[in-house]
Amino acid sequence: MFHEHREEITTLKGQNAHFEKIFNEHNALDQRIQNAVSGIETLSNIEIENLKKQKLRLKDEIYAMIMEFKKQKN
């Protein structure tokens, strides 16, 4: 996710506990979704869709924080 912003992500994770928390939550949700799709974890389609929505909300928040960080750098 956001490979083009690796530097900013690394810096933000080191400087901002909230950013690190939501970044890790996003990755955990991604793993749960992958596990459900591959049959490792049993979830209903509704549960999977809810996880995807949560993941997308976190991704939007992460992106906004990255953009704000870049804006402040300049």
Side-chain angles (χ1 to χ4, degrees), residues 14-60:
Q15 295 178 355
N16 186 319
H18 178 68
F19 181 87
E20 182 176 20
K21 179 180 179 267
I22 65 172
F23 189 85
N24 291 337
E25 285 178 21
H26 177 276
N27 288 338
L29 286 170
D30 187 52
Q31 187 61 55
R32 281 197 72 199
I33 292 165
Q34 287 180 28
N35 289 349
V37 169
S38 65
I40 295 170
E41 185 175 349
T42 305
L43 297 172
S44 71
N45 287 339
I46 292 172
E47 289 172 311
I48 293 170
E49 288 304 312
N50 286 335
L51 291 177
K52 287 180 178 180
K53 288 176 185 176
Q54 288 176 313
K55 182 182 157 197
L56 184 56
R57 278 193 296 275
L58 290 175
K59 185 176 182 178
D60 288 345

